[in-house]
Amino acid sequence: MKGTKLIYVCSECEYTSPKWLGKCPHCGAWNSFVEDVALKETPASPKRVVSITADGGGARPFCETEAPDYIRTATGLSELDRVLGGGLVLGSVVLLSGEPGIGKSTLLLQICDTLGSHRKVLYVSGEESEGQLKLRAERLHIQGDNLFILTETNVEKILAEADKIKPDVIIADSVQTMYLDQSASAAGSVTQVKDSAMAFIGKAKSYGISVILVGHVNKEGGIAGPKVLEHMVDAVLCFEGDRRQAYRIIRANKNRYGSTNEIGVFEMTDEGLCEVANPSQMLMADRPDDSSGNCAVCTVEGTRPLVAEIQALVTPTAFPSPRRTVGGVDYNRTCLLLAVLEKRLGLRFSGHDVYVNVIGGMTLDEPAVDLALALALISSITDRIIPDDLIAMGEIGLSGECRAVSQIEQRIKEAARLGFGTAVIPHRCAEKLPADLGIRIIPVKSIFDVLKILRKERKEQAPDEA
Ligand code: TYD
Ligand code: MG
């Protein structure tokens, strides 16, 4: 293009350089430079103004400022509403990211159905044709009385169309395919993504329209495009899951209108995404029985307790340095626990390969899973089976002590609801619990107690064997 030259832009901090660099000298990010086009003169570059003030009338005393009443609108999928903090806030901008094929377009088309019953929705697709969208909508049984479809990638045209239709919600699938005429760079480039998002956000804030932007992810799993995109929007939702499995989890990485701890669980079926109201039951469905190395745990995601099963496989190593393959729990935490078990209980993990996995593809990232993970590891190396109806939760310290965890009553109730008979928990937690929760509580002070209990439980289950 005449009047333009190639530059390289850091996707983290937008530092520009005339040549490609491996490491950004400004923010220190590695491999963050992407090609872009710079205008020699930029008289036509768009005004980067996102108006969030009502009158722009200068500073005001904080005590006189009134909190607005957010109007939330149900999306029709209560799992998604929970993650959003109770529904989509009118006038907010949400960025939904996820790997290709995970179900972003399906999810958004599905919410159009309920949203369309009481709000006007404009679904803009830069990736699929009208025909493709229609076919998909039919498969998902979407009525869409108030739904308008537009296949367009030019943001100016989209916003002009929005001025005509006056929608309450605009869905832009995806922001990486959109471009602004005023911006000289190619669609998908850092500047274009930012300018297009800016234009949508400006519209949302000045007209009170909700905007949902779909964002692609890069190789590392982060949102493709400038980091500033995540700062500009009100909520960043990530749609995760293993494409080979039917389960999908949506979580908020940022939410100005709600908590970021909540998760929503869906199952991909022939008729689109179905909500999973009872994820614990789903996660426990494929439990193997009578094999060593398995232990159930109850974690809390936001306000919801979730029971999952940790599996460990410990086998003698054939390598000079043993392998550690860890999925679903933190790798470093697992190594730390292995060191604690080796030092305190004298179990020789250094001569064994260790594989850890969480059934159902869940990621458990709270310290309360320590005890169950330790039990799974001990069970596998000693080849002792942990009883099926035993559940464990607690944090383990470096001396092997069991530390208290939060929301223990909720966890115990969920375990009891799922039919677990015994719960191994830190003794400080046990003191706080009410008497009859319908489950036998075994308080433990350290992993030494755990080992004793395991032996005892085993004897009770199979007296002849012991
Ligand atoms: P899609 O929403 O197109 O993914 P994204 O927009 O995140 O790239 O979903 C694609 C996958 O979902 C596709 O591989 C097929 C599957 N799918 C179903 O299994 N059932 C359905 O009813 C639909 C619409 C899609
Ligand atoms: Mg899509």
Side-chain angles (χ1 to χ4, degrees):
M1 206 188 299
K2 202 165 171 258
T4 61
K5 66 171 182 179
L6 263 188
I7 52 163
Y8 293 86
V9 185
C10 170
S11 55
E12 297 289 328
C13 70
E14 292 180 62
Y15 178 87
T16 53
S17 156
K19 58 183 196 324
W20 189 85
L21 299 171
K23 185 184 177 187
C24 175
H26 184 246
C27 69
W30 285 95
N31 211 8
S32 62
F33 277 85
V34 287
E35 213 175 83
D36 207 338
V37 188
L39 280 181
K40 275 191 183 130
E41 290 166 55
T42 51
S45 65
K47 281 204 181 93
R48 286 162 191 185
V49 184
V50 178
S51 170
I52 50 167
T53 54
D55 49 14
R60 261 190 289 172
F62 188 58
C63 52
E64 285 173 21
T65 320
E66 281 175 30
D69 277 335
Y70 291 128
I71 306 170
R72 291 188 188 266
T73 180
T75 61
L77 292 173
S78 53
E79 292 290 303
L80 179 63
D81 286 343
R82 189 210 328 271
V83 176
L84 285 169
L88 186 65
V89 173
L90 283 193
S92 70
V93 183
V94 177
L95 178 66
L96 174 69
S97 74
E99 299 216 339
I102 202 85
K104 302 180 292 296
S105 309
T106 309
L107 180 81
L108 293 178
L109 210 52
Q110 273 179 262
I111 64 168
C112 285
D113 203 23
T114 312
L115 278 180
S117 66
H118 52 289
R119 304 275 175 206
K120 212 181 242 185
V121 186
L122 175 63
Y123 187 105
V124 188
S125 180
E127 300 188 348
E128 285 164 290
S129 69
E130 266 172 42
Q132 282 173 311
L133 285 171
K134 185 78 190 167
L135 274 179
R136 188 192 292 235
E138 274 173 8
R139 194 162 146 197
L140 300 169
H141 308 297
I142 286 163
Q143 307 292 327
D145 301 328
N146 257 330
L147 172 63
F148 293 81
I149 300 276
L150 178 66
T151 46
E152 179 60 69
T153 51
N154 184 319
V155 180
E156 281 100 343
K157 285 189 190 159
I158 294 169
L159 295 182
E161 201 60 33
D163 284 339
K164 271 193 247 158
I165 301 173
K166 301 206 174 3
D168 299 301
V169 183
I170 302 178
I171 297 174
D173 188 359
S174 64
V175 68
Q176 277 84 6
T177 55
M178 305 289 163
Y179 72 96
L180 265 180
D181 273 339
Q182 291 157 300
S183 185
S185 343
S189 69
V190 174
T191 321
Q192 271 292 3
V193 170
K194 193 179 74 181
D195 289 345
S196 306
M198 237 13 156
F200 279 113
I201 294 169
K203 196 81 182 169
K205 299 294 173 191
S206 44
Y207 291 88
I209 300 173
S210 305
V211 173
I212 304 177
L213 301 171
V214 173
H216 291 174
V217 293
N218 54 26
K219 282 201 296 287
E220 289 80 32
I223 297 164
K227 193 77 185 160
V228 64
L229 191 60
E230 289 168 58
H231 294 291
M232 292 185 325
V233 298
D234 296 313
V236 180
L237 307 186
C238 295
F239 208 17
E240 310 166 349
D242 190 339
R243 249 177 306 155
R244 288 158 298 179
Q245 291 187 352
Y247 304 115
R248 306 279 188 271
I249 289 166
I250 192 161
R251 64 173 87 232
N253 278 359
K254 161 182 172 175
N255 193 354
R256 287 185 182 149
Y257 303 111
S259 148
T260 51
N261 293 323
E262 299 290 351
I263 62 161
V265 186
F266 294 93
E267 185 178 358
M268 182 62 99
T269 67
D270 287 344
E271 296 193 342
L273 290 155
C274 292
E275 297 175 82
V276 178
N278 194 347
S280 298
Q281 212 156 34
M282 162 198 103
L283 290 168
M284 300 310 282
D286 306 323
R287 263 191 114 182
D289 29 50
D290 276 347
S291 73
S292 62
N294 301 313
C295 186
V297 63
C298 187
T299 69
V300 176
E301 290 274 1
T303 54
R304 183 150 67 160
L306 250 180
V307 173
E309 170 120 321
I310 301 182
Q311 290 193 301
L313 182 68
V314 181
T315 52
T317 186
F319 305 103
S321 60
R323 295 185 68 161
R324 306 281 183 247
T325 307
V326 180
V329 286
D330 187 50
Y331 177 83
N332 292 321
R333 193 84 204 158
T334 310
C335 293
L336 183 143
L337 275 179
L338 287 172
V340 171
L341 296 179
E342 177 136 7
K343 176 86 179 168
R344 308 288 166 201
L345 299 181
L347 298 168
R348 295 269 305 140
F349 285 103
S350 50
H352 290 81
D353 292 334
V354 175
Y355 305 89
V356 175
N357 187 33
V358 177
I359 296 185
M362 277 285 300
T363 303
L364 311 176
D365 60 356
E366 61 160 352
V369 302
D370 286 359
L371 192 55
L373 178 55
L375 272 168
L377 290 166
I378 297 171
S379 161
S380 186
I381 198 169
T382 57
D383 212 14
R384 283 170 188 275
I385 300 166
I386 293 177
D388 269 355
D389 73 335
L390 187 144
I391 190 161
M393 43 232 148
E395 183 182 345
I396 293 182
L398 292 187
S399 324
E401 78 278 16
C402 276
R403 300 227 186 104
V405 294
S406 62
Q407 289 154 293
I408 191 74
E409 195 175 330
Q410 242 181 319
R411 296 175 202 253
I412 295 283
K413 281 184 180 156
E414 174 76 355
R417 194 178 68 78
L418 287 169
F420 284 90
T422 311
V424 181
I425 59 171
H427 75 116
R428 273 215 304 122
C429 288
E431 291 162 8
K432 294 184 210 146
L433 278 180
D436 189 27
L437 287 169
I439 189 165
R440 184 165 63 116
I441 304 285
I442 305 184
V444 286
K445 282 194 171 160
S446 69
I447 44 170
F448 303 103
D449 297 347
V450 172
L451 211 59
K452 276 184 242 159
I453 289 160
L454 258 189
R455 287 197 194 113
K456 197 162 147 260
E457 287 287 307
R458 197 68 208 137
K459 268 185 213 160
E460 276 169 20
Q461 291 235 326
D464 323 331
E465 191 191 297

